[in-house]
Amino acid sequence: LNGLISEITADLSSSIQKTNVNIHISSLPDIHGKKTLVRQLFQNLISNAIKFLTPERAPEITICAEENSATHLIKVIDNGIGINPNYYKKIFEIFSRLNSKEKYEGSGLGLSLCKKIVEIHKWQIEVESSTEEHSTTFTIKIPKENLLKKQKI
């Protein structure tokens, strides 16, 4: 996963430089899945973190992993505008937008595509956020038993 994230951040380098965002990447596990889809999943999450920054603070994105006996948890954490908890389910619906097109460009497809990708892999995606603290965490839950049946990316 570290190699894939490096490729994605290289592709997004102009946006990263333009917004002056600092991206911190921890040691991430090897995961198994369809490389093109997994790439799209993390590219969408990182792109959203860059898009929804807040000008009041230095922009930060952290990509890290936790592990327990049954699951890898991959987290994409930002200090952007946050998401009201009332909209946690809505953000994963196709063409769903919480913000105006004038303020934030986009089609409303990104997070619905993320949800579909994790469903294809039999993973899960969750969001936690605080508009007051300006933070959002997307967590991808990957069952270890699921990893044994697929090719490593």
Side-chain angles (χ1 to χ4, degrees):
L1 194 52
N2 280 92
L4 188 66
I5 299 295
S6 292
E7 290 173 16
I8 293 167
T9 55
D11 289 347
L12 297 173
S13 64
S14 66
S15 294
I16 291 168
Q17 290 172 355
K18 185 184 198 181
T19 58
N20 203 27
V21 65
N22 290 314
I23 300 181
H24 310 281
I25 304 167
S26 301
S27 179
L28 302 171
D30 290 336
I31 63 170
H32 303 262
K34 297 177 181 181
K35 185 175 183 176
T36 304
L37 295 178
V38 174
R39 179 184 176 79
Q40 186 67 55
L41 168 66
F42 285 98
Q43 185 165 324
N44 285 356
L45 293 175
I46 295 166
S47 294
N48 271 6
I50 293 169
K51 183 191 314 185
F52 295 105
L53 297 171
T54 181
E56 294 91 43
R57 61 181 57 205
E60 304 269 339
I61 299 171
T62 301
I63 304 167
C64 58
E66 295 175 15
E67 181 178 358
N68 61 38
S69 61
T71 311
H72 283 292
L73 303 173
I74 313 299
K75 297 183 177 200
V76 178
I77 306 162
D78 68 62
N79 66 345
I81 64 172
I83 302 167
N84 183 313
N86 295 330
Y87 298 114
Y88 285 0
K89 288 185 181 178
K90 182 179 172 78
I91 62 170
F92 293 111
E93 294 173 6
I94 193 164
F95 301 121
S96 181
R97 297 182 51 89
L98 301 182
N99 302 287
S100 71
K101 285 186 179 183
E102 292 76 30
K103 191 166 185 178
Y104 298 101
E105 62 183 56
S107 62
L109 286 172
L111 291 176
S112 64
L113 183 57
C114 289
K115 183 169 174 55
K116 187 65 177 171
I117 291 168
V118 298
E119 288 172 350
I120 287 169
H121 287 89
K122 298 188 180 358
W123 301 344
Q124 294 177 334
I125 187 169
E126 294 178 353
V127 62
E128 292 179 54
S129 187
S130 169
T131 52
E132 291 84 31
E133 294 177 22
H134 298 287
S135 66
T136 300
T137 301
F138 284 93
T139 302
I140 311 299
K141 294 182 175 184
I142 304 172
K144 288 183 179 178
E145 66 185 36
N146 181 272
L147 297 180
L148 300 174
K149 302 173 185 169
K150 306 226 181 223
Q151 279 192 318
K152 186 171 88 172
I153 58 171

